[in-house]
Amino acid sequence: MLIFGEKYTLTKLEMGRLEKKFRNINFISYKDKDEDEVINEIETLLNNDKLKLIVLNTKAKVNDKVIKYLTNLKFDKKFKHIRLMGIEGFLEKYLNKCYIPEDHTDLHYLYDIKEFNKFQLIQKKAIDFFGVFWLFLFSYPVIQKCKRKISEESPGPLYFEQKRVGYYKKEFTCIKFRSMKVDAEKNGIQFATKNDDRIFPWGDYMRKRRYDELPQMINILKGEMHLIGPRPERQYWIEQFEEQIPYYAERHIVAPGITGWAQVMYPYGENAEDARQKLMYDLYYIKYWNILLELKIIWKTAMVVLHKKGV
């Protein structure tokens, strides 16, 4: 595979996933280069690495001669097997996320993303109630253990209630097991970070296995959340994200979930760039929702809970 251009920068996590799918991954930058030099680089890779896919990751203007060369590849018997694909389609097909430009020049994704229709909502409601029934049944011993361990390690309220933003930007009270010290925000609102000293030991254990999310079954039964959907965020953070990611509210056209595609595909976020990356997965989930994707998320979440594998 050849990635031509620098419009989107692949993360280390994404490179790891792609290396499992492609034997060789090559990169060519064309900016500030002579067109013949660029064509020679492409041709060398085509001859030596037996490429099958060229990803057009282009942002800066491409020279006419280079465009002509790429266009005519399909008419060369030697290279007719090669596919050309834009970075947008590539991310959706191979990394299961929707591309969002950093410079806000291309807004096509805004009309590609639509809220769930009535039939999809009926299916999701059925999954919600069926899922909550079995989740409560199997997690009851875990719930009791969480209550006991929280009381032992950090005396105080068992539950942590906090306003979160849900469907169509309406706030609701999200319920979780408390995983931080009682005075965790005495110095103001802040992201939880890796090795956060505000988190007590059992709280850290719960967060890694998602046990702290179990009380949100109440939110599902109240119709405020789904079992699966984008993570509900606080109004404070949404306002911060929207300063840098003005399209962030797009995720609110569906109700949030206890777990979701972004949660199982991307590590715990600590900043606006993490929020943008997660948003790409959330938009993919909304755009391509189906029962199989829902079941895949449930399976991946179960693997995280059982500590079989993470992101």
Side-chain angles (χ1 to χ4, degrees), residues 61-78:
K61 183 180 178 181
V62 183
N63 183 277
D64 289 352
K65 192 173 181 179
V66 176
I67 295 174
K68 181 181 176 181
Y69 174 80
L70 292 171
T71 303
N72 281 289
L73 280 176
K74 64 173 69 71
F75 302 110
D76 188 325
K77 289 183 180 179
K78 187 178 178 182

Side-chain angles (χ1 to χ4, degrees), residues 125-140 217 220-221 227:
K125 284 290 184 183
I127 292 170
D128 287 343
F129 289 112
F130 184 79
V132 166
F133 174 80
W134 289 105
L135 181 60
F136 179 77
L137 195 67
F138 285 110
S139 67
Y140 183 76
M217 288 187 281
I220 293 175
L221 295 176
L227 185 66

Side-chain angles (χ1 to χ4, degrees), residues 145-160 177-184 197-204 206:
K145 183 174 182 179
C146 286
K147 290 179 178 179
R148 187 178 73 253
K149 294 289 285 184
I150 292 169
S151 296
E152 290 173 357
E153 293 189 9
S154 179
L158 292 173
Y159 302 101
F160 178 67
F177 277 128
R178 183 171 58 83
S179 59
M180 290 187 176
K181 299 170 184 176
V182 176
D183 60 352
D197 61 7
R198 298 175 301 158
I199 303 172
F200 53 90
W202 178 254
D204 184 54
M206 286 194 298

Side-chain angles (χ1 to χ4, degrees), residues 36-281:
D36 290 322
E37 180 187 353
V38 173
I39 290 172
N40 286 335
E41 283 187 48
I42 296 173
E43 203 156 51
T44 299
L45 286 172
L46 291 177
N47 288 318
N48 295 340
D49 288 350
K50 297 181 180 179
L51 300 178
K52 293 183 179 180
L53 175 64
I54 297 178
V55 180
L56 303 176
N57 189 23
T58 55
K59 180 179 179 181
K61 183 180 178 181
V62 183
N63 183 277
D64 289 352
K65 192 173 181 179
V66 176
I67 295 174
K68 181 181 176 181
Y69 174 80
L70 292 171
T71 303
N72 281 289
L73 280 176
K74 64 173 69 71
F75 302 110
D76 188 325
K77 289 183 180 179
K78 187 178 178 182
F79 301 131
K80 66 184 301 181
H81 64 283
I82 293 172
R83 291 182 299 134
L84 298 180
M85 179 181 286
I87 188 63
E88 296 83 0
F90 176 79
L91 289 180
E92 291 187 11
K93 181 171 182 177
Y94 292 102
L95 290 171
N96 307 120
K97 64 194 295 187
C98 289
Y99 170 75
I100 295 175
E102 292 184 63
D103 57 7
H104 319 317
T105 55
D106 183 0
L107 303 180
H108 77 277
Y109 58 87
L110 289 176
Y111 58 76
D112 282 344
I113 310 300
K114 297 178 176 63
E115 60 183 297
F116 298 139
N117 59 42
K118 288 184 179 180
F119 182 59
Q120 289 174 320
L121 284 173
I122 290 171
Q123 294 177 82
K124 281 193 67 65
K125 284 290 184 183
I127 292 170
D128 287 343
F129 289 112
F130 184 79
V132 166
F133 174 80
W134 289 105
L135 181 60
F136 179 77
L137 195 67
F138 285 110
S139 67
Y140 183 76
V142 175
I143 291 172
Q144 297 308 309
K145 183 174 182 179
C146 286
K147 290 179 178 179
R148 187 178 73 253
K149 294 289 285 184
I150 292 169
S151 296
E152 290 173 357
E153 293 189 9
S154 179
L158 292 173
Y159 302 101
F160 178 67
E161 297 186 4
Q162 190 177 72
K163 290 290 184 181
R164 296 287 176 103
V165 178
Y167 180 59
Y168 265 69
K169 302 189 79 172
K170 293 179 181 177
E171 283 193 319
F172 68 98
T173 302
C174 183
I175 308 169
K176 302 174 71 172
F177 277 128
R178 183 171 58 83
S179 59
M180 290 187 176
K181 299 170 184 176
V182 176
D183 60 352
E185 292 194 335
K186 63 181 180 181
N187 296 319
I189 297 173
Q190 57 185 291
F191 263 120
T193 58
K194 190 175 182 180
N195 302 319
D196 197 317
D197 61 7
R198 298 175 301 158
I199 303 172
F200 53 90
W202 178 254
D204 184 54
Y205 185 90
M206 286 194 298
R207 292 167 79 97
K208 287 178 179 176
R209 289 160 179 78
R210 312 286 173 85
Y211 294 166
D212 61 320
E213 314 280 1
L214 289 172
Q216 290 171 34
M217 288 187 281
I218 297 171
N219 293 116
I220 293 175
L221 295 176
K222 290 170 68 176
E224 297 165 331
M225 293 178 66
H226 287 304
L227 185 66
I228 298 165
R231 175 185 169 83
E233 292 287 359
R234 300 169 70 174
Q235 183 64 45
Y236 174 84
W237 290 120
I238 289 172
E239 290 173 1
Q240 300 299 309
F241 293 152
E242 286 188 325
E243 288 295 317
Q244 300 177 57
I245 315 169
Y247 38 77
Y248 190 75
E250 190 74 359
R251 69 204 294 275
H252 296 127
I253 63 171
V254 300
I258 290 181
T259 185
W261 191 233
Q263 286 96 305
V264 299
M265 293 296 287
Y266 194 83
Y268 198 84
E270 298 181 5
N271 53 49
E273 176 54 26
D274 289 330
R276 190 178 80 92
Q277 288 290 334
K278 285 198 166 190
L279 180 60
M280 294 189 206
Y281 289 107

Side-chain angles (χ1 to χ4, degrees), residues 297-309:
I297 295 169
I298 292 172
W299 171 255
K300 281 180 169 287
T301 302
M303 293 299 98
V304 172
V305 170
L306 296 172
H307 212 50
K308 296 290 185 181
K309 59 180 179 179

